[in-house]
Amino acid sequence: MSSNYFNEIWYQAQHDCEQLAIIDYERQHQNVDTTVATISGVTGVVSSSVAAAAESKSLLQASIYEFYLRYICLSNRLEEVYDNMIQPQKRELVRKLLDACLGRVVELKHDLVNIDLMEFSYNDEVVERLRLTPMEMELRIPRYFLREREEELELRKRTMHELLIKLGWLEEHPLEEPLTEIEAIRLLQMHERARQGRLRAHFMKEIRKEKGKSEDRTDKERTDSGLMAAMKIQKMWRGHTARRITRRRKMDEMILIGMVPPPASVLKERSERFERNNETDVRRRHVAQKSYAAQFEARQLAIQEEIKLKHGATMKEDIADEIRAWIKDCYDKTGKLPDFPSEDQGGSLHIFSRPGTESEHSRSSARSSKESRKTKDKSKSPARSGDLNVNDNQEEDVNFQPAASVCLPDIRAEIEFFNDTWRDKDETGALSQAAYKDMIYAEKYQEVELQFRRAVDDVMRQELELLQTMVGKKVKKSNKKTRRSGKKSKKKKEKDLTPDRTIESLYEELVTNGIIRKYPEIKLKQFLGDKALTARNGTNPSPGDIRQVLTEYCILPLGSEAIHNCTPLIRSVLLAGPRGSGKKALLHAICTEVGAVLFDLTPANIVGKYPGKSGLIMLIHLVLKVSRLLQPAVIYMGDAERPFMKKIPKTDRTDPKRLKKDLPKMIKNIAPEDRVLFVGTTSLPWEADQKFLQSVYNRFIYIPRPDYGAMSHAWKTLLHEYSGGISNLDTSAMAKISDGYTIGAIDACLREVMTCKRKLQLRSQPLTNAELINVLCSRDPVYREEEEAFESWWSKTPLGRRRQRFLELEEERMIEEQAQQAKQGNGNKKKGLN
């Protein structure tokens, strides 16, 4: 596809984003006493009754959910543009707008959680009105998370591989395992039996040959017998080829009408052909992106040096003359020498930014004015990047109002910059995708002017101090390191226990002790299942909904620093679900999608490592220090309920309560600017002390057993993977029979049945349901009692308790309404009798 195609998509996305941001900004700044209108313009006034408040909340949920879906569609289009666009200056703007839109998606997600009081939100009316499919509603993970860090990730993988070989955990040239005595005997027996069989066949051949010589047959009989044999062979071969052609035609017809999936060989051939056609263009674009980006950086440096050489001296003199004129003007008007603003206050820029004091050399460009307006909008809105904790046991507010957005000013600033710079720019003759020199010159001129202004400010402060000394005024020393806020930070700076060690040595130590682990590369899309087609309960999400919420809570904040800084902070997430539901696979998918370093603090993994209290302090210090230096990072704890269990089994030798007191402190020490996430997995969350568990984890995500649709999809996908598309097994029947099992159990069952020998026999002996059912019956399903235990546990989580209170209020309201209606009906009936 050409660059013009992606330019058209970009321009259309910018237009849609502008229209959406205007409505979103108006909704943010409307009156709190009115209900939030839907995008179609419906508004209503909140009455004092609870029924009107509930109706207001439903309107608010519909409005926010519509914005949420529109921003998702917009982000997907911008991600496609950013991945394929070549021009470096355009890509820089698209990247900033993409990060801002993704941040806005996460903000709206948190608003929906606070309204719906569950992690998964649904609104079928909005989806139907927007005419969106489940695939369009799923948020894509930006590909630049990994592609722009390819060299770093490759170096880290190579370092990990070398360390594992050095420790002896991996073999550089793996050798074949020696045969055991039993295997050697079986091999000898097999070859000996084959040798004896060949000898016997040769012996019988000689006997038949001698017997044939003794028979006296004529040439005619010999000829007739040869013709009959040839005719029989011909008959059998023609019948075989005809049946094969018929079967092939029938199979082609079934594939054409979609009744049978294509064979694996056909699918593989199609995918390879498509990848070959697409890979060439993608590789060419990515190479061109790197080439033009390198040219862009080189041109920026060259133009910056050119500006310094040509205009540096004149620029310094003009700024100095300007400041001296300001000092003289203040002295003539007031008779006193003014105080020079500190560097944190902006220096001389602060002077000339006041009304009526703007100078020729301090006028900001269009870009800098947008930045200042964006900063001003952010200062008005409360910060949302703090720790968003839904674990607060606050009373439910029916008239909930969404929090002010931090990302919306960024979106507006980027849209304004696009309108000022790119919308009316004539690019008819610009066939090359190289950077525009005039735009680089304007941007670098402002940067150089700011650098020289800071240097001149330091000189002017010294001159002003000398003047004040000569006049006799007491000099006030300006403190450059002024605090940004009047309150003193209560948080103590963490002491560095390893100040003299390099990050390489710390990394090697943690790898040696098994704290930093190598994980399998699993993509999030490999978690099988689609998004829900209709609204569901919060404790019964679809696999696609789970993928979406993990993308918004974990992957986006970890993958981009810009998104992390503007979205509500989530320090820890707990994944709860039955065994085989895919908790560990989701953990590996989170790490794979962002290229994170995985730290394993599972109680069974740290047994005997860093013993004693001092060792535990050193372990936590090393994990936090290395995770900050190697961001993004994921700290993992399996069996997350064990540190908080009330009673530890006597057979347990792992000392799981070792981290009980230090885990809450460890989570709090994850700073808001750190792209570090603590992830726990558990199959028995109700066995933990809920108070301690909720003090560690900010979010609780329940992964239930799959429903019929997800199970049927899993059977089709896994059977196709294991059997190569040869099996014609009825997956619908197997999905019904395996109801109650997890996808992990299905995968293990297929892995046990589909051995190498069984795969070779598929053409002659098709796979049957009985083979799979026999193996599946040997595994334990998810019983109803376990599901009820999970649902009961989730209702005791902070979000579950808030939702329970809300449902109780709704039920009381319905009972009151029915009582009032019954009372009115009885009154009308009495009047009729009278």
Side-chain angles (χ1 to χ4, degrees):
M1 297 181 187
S2 65
S3 298
N4 290 333
Y5 171 76
F6 294 107
N7 283 337
E8 291 176 3
I9 299 178
W10 177 40
Y11 274 69
Q12 184 61 41
Q14 287 281 164
H15 177 266
D16 296 343
C17 185
E18 183 177 2
Q19 300 297 321
L20 188 60
I22 291 172
I23 304 173
D24 195 6
Y25 186 79
E26 292 175 355
R27 183 183 64 86
Q28 283 272 317
H29 293 80
Q30 68 181 350
N31 193 345
V32 180
D33 293 333
T34 59
T35 57
V36 177
T38 56
I39 295 179
S40 57
V42 180
T43 61
V45 179
V46 179
S47 64
S48 58
S49 65
V50 181
E55 184 180 356
S56 167
K57 189 171 182 178
S58 64
L59 289 174
L60 177 63
Q61 197 271 351
S63 174
I64 294 179
Y65 193 73
E66 186 165 353
F67 279 109
Y68 171 72
L69 294 181
R70 287 181 180 273
Y71 274 114
I72 285 177
C73 298
L74 188 61
S75 300
N76 291 340
R77 288 157 62 190
L78 289 172
E79 194 276 332
E80 184 71 21
V81 170
Y82 180 74
D83 192 65
N84 291 278
M85 188 172 279
I86 297 176
Q87 216 277 347
Q89 291 163 312
K90 295 178 182 178
R91 294 186 80 243
E92 184 179 356
L93 177 60
V94 174
R95 167 72 177 273
K96 292 179 180 179
L97 185 60
L98 172 61
D99 289 343
C101 288
L102 290 173
R104 186 65 183 134
V105 169
V106 178
E107 286 181 340
L108 293 170
K109 174 63 179 179
H110 287 285
D111 288 340
L112 287 171
V113 169
N114 287 325
I115 293 174
D116 295 329
L117 300 178
M118 58 183 183
E119 302 291 353
F120 309 96
S121 301
Y122 306 97
N123 195 312
D124 295 341
E125 294 180 0
V126 174
V127 175
E128 185 178 357
R129 184 166 67 250
L130 296 178
R131 297 184 179 181
L132 296 176
T133 63
M135 293 181 63
E136 294 171 335
M137 292 162 53
E138 188 161 1
L139 185 63
R140 295 180 196 164
I141 300 172
R143 284 165 278 189
Y144 76 82
F145 284 178
L146 296 177
R147 192 162 58 81
E148 295 184 357
R149 298 175 57 220
E150 285 180 351
E151 297 179 0
E152 176 189 349
L153 295 177
E154 188 63 33
L155 177 62
R156 190 177 294 171
K157 288 179 185 177
R158 190 162 58 249
T159 304
M160 172 72 78
H161 187 72
E162 292 173 356
L163 285 174
L164 294 178
I165 292 175
K166 180 181 176 182
L167 295 170
W169 296 349
L170 284 180
E171 294 184 6
E172 190 171 4
H173 302 289
L175 301 175
E176 293 184 2
E177 295 182 0
L179 293 176
T180 63
E181 185 178 353
I182 296 176
E183 291 174 344
I185 292 173
R186 287 177 179 172
L187 185 63
L188 289 173
Q189 286 178 344
M190 181 176 64
H191 284 279
E192 177 61 23
R193 288 167 181 166
R195 187 187 68 82
Q196 293 179 5
R198 286 192 296 271
L199 286 175
R200 182 174 178 80
H202 181 71
F203 181 68
M204 294 302 295
K205 183 179 179 182
E206 292 293 332
I207 292 175
R208 285 194 298 270
K209 189 175 180 182
E210 292 295 330
K211 188 177 180 180
K213 287 181 180 179
S214 62
E215 294 179 355
D216 187 13
R217 292 189 300 175
T218 61
D219 293 341
K220 187 174 182 301
E221 291 176 348
R222 193 177 295 111
T223 303
D224 292 341
S225 63
L227 288 174
M228 291 297 294
M231 289 175 64
K232 286 183 178 180
I233 294 172
Q234 188 180 55
K235 175 184 175 183
M236 297 299 293
W237 173 250
R238 286 179 177 176
H240 170 70
T241 53
R243 286 190 295 272
R244 187 174 61 180
I245 292 171
T246 304
R247 283 197 304 268
R248 187 177 299 170
R249 286 179 178 176
K250 185 176 180 181
M251 182 60 67
D252 291 342
E253 182 182 356
M254 297 296 283
I255 292 173
L256 180 64
I257 62 178
M259 295 298 292
V260 176
S265 57
V266 176
L267 287 177
K268 187 176 181 181
E269 183 181 355
R270 290 179 186 174
S271 63
E272 287 179 354
R273 191 186 308 120
F274 177 77
E275 287 176 1
R276 282 196 302 269
N277 295 336
N278 196 29
E279 188 178 356
T280 305
D281 183 58
V282 171
R283 191 187 300 113
R284 179 182 62 82
R285 284 189 172 276
H286 290 171
V287 170
Q289 286 174 359
K290 292 181 180 179
S291 175
Y292 281 113
Q295 294 178 13
F296 178 53
E297 292 177 1
R299 186 171 293 183
Q300 280 182 317
L301 294 175
I303 291 176
Q304 187 173 3
E305 293 299 324
E306 180 184 350
I307 293 172
K308 287 181 180 179
L309 290 175
K310 288 185 177 180
H311 305 283
T314 308
M315 198 179 293
K316 287 181 181 179
E317 292 177 3
D318 292 342
I319 294 172
D321 292 342
E322 192 177 43
I323 296 173
R324 291 190 185 101
W326 170 75
I327 294 173
K328 184 177 181 301
D329 185 50
C330 290
Y331 186 77
D332 292 341
K333 289 181 179 179
T334 62
K336 297 179 182 179
L337 292 173
D339 294 329
F340 203 89
S342 65
E343 185 176 347
D344 289 342
Q345 293 174 342
S348 58
L349 278 178
H350 178 70
I351 300 169
F352 300 111
S353 63
R354 300 170 188 167
T357 58
E358 186 178 3
S359 65
E360 293 294 329
H361 298 279
S362 64
R363 286 175 185 165
S364 59
S365 64
R367 181 68 177 177
S368 61
S369 63
K370 302 300 179 298
E371 294 291 337
S372 62
R373 190 179 299 115
K374 179 172 66 175
T375 307
K376 185 177 178 182
D377 290 342
K378 281 188 177 182
S379 64
K380 289 182 180 180
S381 62
R384 290 192 52 156
S385 59
D387 188 3
L388 185 78
N389 193 358
V390 296
N391 297 357
D392 299 333
N393 294 325
Q394 58 188 0
E395 292 298 326
E396 182 62 29
D397 184 13
V398 181
N399 295 324
F400 171 80
Q401 291 296 329
S405 172
V406 176
C407 300
L408 198 54
D410 294 345
I411 296 174
R412 295 182 64 207
E414 301 307 327
I415 290 172
E416 290 178 5
F417 180 71
F418 169 80
N419 293 337
D420 295 339
T421 308
W422 292 101
R423 170 160 292 186
D424 300 325
K425 192 173 185 64
D426 186 13
E427 297 184 274
T428 52
L431 299 179
S432 174
Q433 297 297 313
Y436 291 99
K437 187 176 179 180
D438 56 340
M439 295 176 64
I440 300 175
Y441 190 90
E443 182 181 354
K444 289 300 173 183
Y445 190 90
Q446 297 296 327
E447 291 183 9
V448 172
E449 190 262 344
L450 187 59
Q451 292 176 5
F452 285 146
R453 183 173 291 278
R454 287 171 183 165
V456 173
D457 286 351
D458 293 337
V459 176
M460 289 296 103
R461 284 191 189 94
Q462 297 176 5
E463 288 189 11
L464 187 58
E465 289 177 4
L466 291 175
L467 288 173
Q468 289 173 342
T469 305
M470 293 173 62
V471 172
K473 183 179 178 182
K474 203 171 183 179
V475 180
K476 292 182 180 178
K477 292 185 179 180
S478 61
N479 185 13
K480 293 183 180 180
K481 297 180 180 180
T482 56
R483 293 196 303 268
R484 293 186 179 179
S485 61
K487 295 182 180 179
K488 189 176 181 180
S489 178
K490 295 182 180 180
K491 188 176 180 180
K492 294 181 180 179
K493 189 177 181 181
E494 187 179 353
K495 185 179 178 181
D496 190 359
L497 302 179
T498 55
D500 55 343
R501 295 187 59 182
T502 61
I503 181 61
E504 290 80 8
S505 65
L506 297 177
Y507 182 81
E508 183 175 355
E509 178 183 340
L510 291 176
V511 172
T512 303
N513 289 317
I515 305 299
I516 293 180
R517 286 187 170 273
K518 187 177 182 180
Y519 51 86
E521 294 188 0
I522 300 175
K523 292 292 185 180
L524 191 62
K525 63 183 179 182
Q526 292 179 249
F527 187 72
L528 300 176
D530 298 326
K531 283 183 67 68
L533 300 178
T534 56
R536 292 192 177 200
N537 188 7
T539 57
N540 186 30
S542 67
D545 297 330
I546 295 171
R547 289 198 304 267
Q548 182 100 338
V549 77
L550 288 178
T551 300
E552 294 159 348
Y553 285 172
C554 307
I555 295 176
L556 292 181
L558 285 176
S560 171
E561 186 176 357
I563 299 174
H564 178 82
N565 292 336
C566 69
T567 54
L569 176 63
I570 294 180
R571 290 186 171 96
S572 54
V573 174
L574 179 67
L575 303 178
R579 295 188 181 277
S581 57
K583 300 182 293 297
K584 192 170 286 188
L586 289 172
L587 168 76
H588 294 155
I590 292 171
C591 297
T592 302
E593 294 290 358
V594 299
V597 180
L598 180 61
F599 298 81
D600 190 356
L601 292 183
T602 303
N605 186 50
I606 61 174
V607 175
K609 302 171 184 176
Y610 298 94
K613 186 176 180 181
S614 59
L616 185 60
I617 294 173
M618 177 59 73
L619 171 63
I620 294 175
H621 167 74
L622 289 177
V623 169
L624 288 175
K625 180 178 180 179
V626 177
S627 63
R628 290 191 185 105
L629 294 173
L630 298 178
Q631 299 180 33
V634 174
I635 304 173
Y636 164 64
M637 175 171 282
D639 298 328
E641 80 283 353
R642 295 180 67 190
F644 310 107
M645 291 175 68
K646 297 178 181 179
K647 189 176 181 181
I648 303 295
K650 294 181 180 180
T651 57
D652 193 350
R653 305 297 182 187
T654 59
D655 190 16
K657 288 194 174 183
R658 187 182 176 195
L659 288 170
K660 179 179 180 180
K661 295 181 180 179
D662 295 304
L663 274 179
K665 298 177 184 177
M666 182 181 179
I667 302 300
K668 289 181 181 178
N669 284 332
I670 299 176
E673 63 271 10
D674 296 336
R675 285 187 292 152
V676 179
L677 182 69
F678 189 89
V679 180
T681 60
T682 175
S683 300
L684 304 168
W686 53 83
E687 291 189 357
D689 188 339
Q690 299 303 309
K691 182 179 179 182
F692 286 102
L693 193 70
Q694 293 166 14
S695 66
V696 172
Y697 296 99
N698 302 137
R699 294 290 184 179
F700 301 88
I701 299 176
Y702 170 48
I703 306 172
R705 65 174 179 85
D707 56 5
Y708 172 79
M711 189 65 77
S712 177
H713 178 67
W715 272 111
K716 289 178 182 177
T717 306
L718 294 175
L719 268 174
H720 193 275
E721 179 182 344
Y722 282 103
S723 65
I726 300 175
S727 174
N728 293 324
L729 199 71
D730 188 358
T731 55
S732 299
M734 288 304 303
K736 198 68 179 174
I737 292 171
S738 59
D739 184 23
Y741 289 90
T742 60
I743 295 180
I746 304 302
D747 185 49
C749 170
L750 283 169
R751 201 182 306 115
E752 184 176 345
V753 173
M754 300 302 295
T755 59
C756 181
K757 182 179 179 181
R758 188 67 185 88
K759 289 179 182 178
L760 295 174
Q761 297 173 348
L762 282 176
R763 291 190 180 276
S764 57
Q765 299 178 14
L767 189 66
T768 61
N769 294 354
E771 294 180 75
L772 298 173
I773 293 172
N774 290 335
V775 177
L776 196 62
C777 289
S778 63
R779 303 182 181 277
D780 292 331
V782 181
Y783 294 104
R784 182 59 191 166
E785 292 78 9
E786 187 176 356
E787 288 187 355
E788 291 175 354
F790 272 110
E791 292 176 2
S792 175
W793 164 78
W794 190 86
S795 65
K796 295 176 184 177
T797 61
L799 203 61
R801 289 200 303 268
R802 290 175 60 189
R803 180 167 179 79
Q804 193 68 26
R805 285 198 301 271
F806 175 74
L807 293 177
E808 288 174 359
L809 290 175
E810 285 289 308
E811 187 176 356
E812 291 177 3
R813 180 180 65 83
M814 293 293 294
I815 292 173
E816 289 179 1
E817 287 183 355
Q818 290 176 1
Q820 290 178 0
Q821 291 176 0
K823 189 176 180 180
Q824 290 177 359
N826 292 333
N828 294 334
K829 189 175 181 181
K830 289 180 181 179
K831 289 181 181 179
L833 292 174
N834 293 333

